Amino acid sequence: MRKKIAVLGAGSWGSILANLLDENGHSVRLWSYSPAQVTELNEQHTNERYVPDFKYSETLTAYSDLAQAIDGADVILFVVPTKAIREVAQQVTAVLAKTHQQPIIVHASKGLEQETHKRLSQVLAEEIPAELRQAIVVLSGPSHAEEVARHDITLITAASANESAAELVQQLFMNDYFRIYTNTDVVGVELGAALKNIIALGAGALHGLGYGDDAKAALMTRGLAEISRLGVALGAEPLTFIGLSGVGDLIVTATSVHSRNWRAGNELGAGQDLKTVIDTMGMVIEGIPSTKAAYELAQQQNIEMPITEAIYDVLYKSADIKEVIPQLMQREGKPEIQ
């Protein structure tokens, strides 16, 4: 079942997923907005800024021209930062309208659009008309590009209202180190993917402040409770949050040094100011804008999310990170299960 697949976004995750699909025998075109990055990938078969010391398949071809990259594609996989999803989708639509293709649209990005608070599949559905696509599928779960690159065992979820499309995506990616499960709860999968980045910031901050495993376990557990509360209020299935795209992704993002959100939180906890953290990270820290979107959503839905609110206060109101923790701890006592 060899398919022609366009991967949009040549950061760490996008480029490694493209390489995986190439290894699986598909015809893969990797698009980047950076001509210099395209040249490096095609001539050196490296992507040193994002995945150092890794050699990409020599049959993987990179493009800086979007129309060339998606020409004739059966599947278009978006792996661009959340803030770029809408703009890139508009460009894709302009091409598809001329070529009359109807690909499956997949995204593997994790976040919520600022201002609108929309999930990324909603943004894609708005910008790519139904007559120009077969279905929209979300790819999410506990995964780091660095580990997939070395063929470590990884399990994630393909979610779609169109079960046949999710099953096709499952078949495209599956191999002996990368396993995909399907799910129909797109709302839960996307919210789990976006909101766990907030808790990862907090977990990193606890580490930077010198707290131990008890504190980190407490934060992750109560963080998952917050994610589930907001998710269910927005229409998600509760069980999704104890699956791969929920607790699975939360564990890996809130405990791993590979996680840029954990690293950003760790630096904040160690005393670094936010601007410096952002400037030195070199990659998008999705948890920062996701915190703002989640905080605003919780206010709109009247959902209690004290951890998210505390992190919002640190990021957007310059609250002292050392002061918000005792404030959280001294809140009125509550039942664990509500």
Side-chain angles (χ1 to χ4, degrees):
M1 192 188 65
R2 189 171 192 265
K3 295 291 185 180
K4 184 178 288 187
I5 304 170
V7 180
L8 311 184
S12 55
W13 192 220
S15 65
I16 291 302
L17 286 177
N19 196 74
L20 180 152
L21 290 164
D22 180 273
E23 289 179 343
N24 282 2
H26 302 292
S27 173
V28 184
R29 297 177 178 183
L30 176 60
W31 173 78
S32 168
Y33 70 89
S34 167
Q37 188 182 26
V38 168
T39 299
E40 180 190 356
L41 282 160
N42 287 335
E43 295 183 359
Q44 306 300 323
H45 309 295
T46 59
N47 194 11
E48 286 296 325
R49 177 183 175 186
Y50 294 99
V51 191
D53 304 319
F54 179 77
K55 276 286 185 181
Y56 290 77
S57 168
E58 294 189 6
T59 55
L60 175 62
T61 306
Y63 293 79
S64 56
D65 185 296
L66 183 65
Q68 287 183 343
I70 67 177
D71 182 38
D74 302 300
V75 176
I76 299 177
L77 171 60
F78 285 74
V79 204
V80 297
T82 296
K83 64 181 180 181
I85 286 280
R86 190 176 291 276
E87 180 183 353
V88 175
Q90 291 169 351
Q91 295 172 22
V92 167
T93 295
V95 176
L96 295 180
K98 295 177 182 177
T99 60
H100 304 291
Q101 295 168 236
Q102 197 179 35
I104 292 175
I105 304 297
V106 186
H107 88 76
S109 301
K110 299 178 179 182
L112 297 170
E113 187 177 48
Q114 293 297 289
E115 307 306 329
T116 70
H117 308 144
K118 289 178 178 176
R119 293 176 288 104
L120 301 186
S121 66
Q122 292 176 302
V123 175
L124 290 169
E126 286 180 357
E127 297 299 339
I128 304 175
E131 63 270 18
L132 297 179
R133 53 178 163 84
Q134 291 183 44
I136 296 176
V137 181
V138 180
L139 202 61
S140 186
S143 49
H144 287 308
E146 298 86 348
E147 298 191 358
V148 175
R150 63 172 184 257
H151 292 192
D152 209 336
I153 291 174
T154 302
L155 283 70
I156 65 174
T157 295
S160 179
N162 184 320
E163 293 185 60
S164 296
E167 289 168 358
L168 174 64
V169 171
Q170 180 183 50
Q171 294 169 26
L172 295 178
F173 282 91
M174 289 262 285
N175 58 34
D176 61 0
Y177 65 90
F178 201 78
R179 181 170 176 81
I180 310 290
Y181 288 84
T182 61
N183 195 325
T184 57
D185 181 16
V186 175
V187 176
V189 168
E190 286 190 297
L191 288 175
L195 302 181
K196 53 86 184 180
N197 286 329
I198 303 168
I199 307 306
L201 283 169
L206 287 180
H207 185 271
L209 287 162
Y211 287 95
D213 295 336
D214 290 0
K216 295 166 194 171
L219 179 85
M220 291 169 62
T221 305
R222 296 310 301 167
L224 184 62
E226 291 191 10
I227 292 170
S228 302
R229 264 201 305 274
L230 182 60
V232 170
L234 294 173
E237 293 291 334
L239 286 177
T240 297
F241 298 108
I242 60 170
L244 289 168
S245 60
V247 69
D249 208 1
L250 175 62
I251 289 169
V252 77
T253 311
T255 62
S256 174
V257 294
H258 293 314
S259 165
R260 69 193 68 164
N261 291 285
W262 184 93
R263 297 201 310 269
N266 183 55
E267 291 181 24
L268 288 170
Q272 194 68 266
D273 66 276
L274 180 60
K275 183 179 185 304
T276 302
V277 171
I278 294 171
D279 290 345
T280 57
M281 186 61 62
M283 292 183 278
V284 176
I285 307 167
E286 290 285 9
I288 294 175
S290 291
T291 299
K292 183 174 186 291
Y295 171 80
E296 292 170 351
L297 266 175
Q299 296 292 306
Q300 292 171 8
Q301 296 290 325
N302 196 28
I303 300 295
E304 188 178 29
M305 298 182 73
I307 296 171
T308 299
E309 184 173 348
I311 295 171
Y312 174 85
D313 287 345
V314 170
L315 296 176
Y316 291 96
K317 293 185 176 180
S318 301
D320 187 333
I321 198 168
K322 294 180 180 178
E323 293 180 3
V324 299
I325 294 172
Q327 289 170 5
L328 278 171
M329 292 296 292
Q330 293 169 14
R331 291 166 57 246
E332 180 185 357
K334 297 177 180 294
E336 182 181 11
I337 307 299
Q338 293 178 297

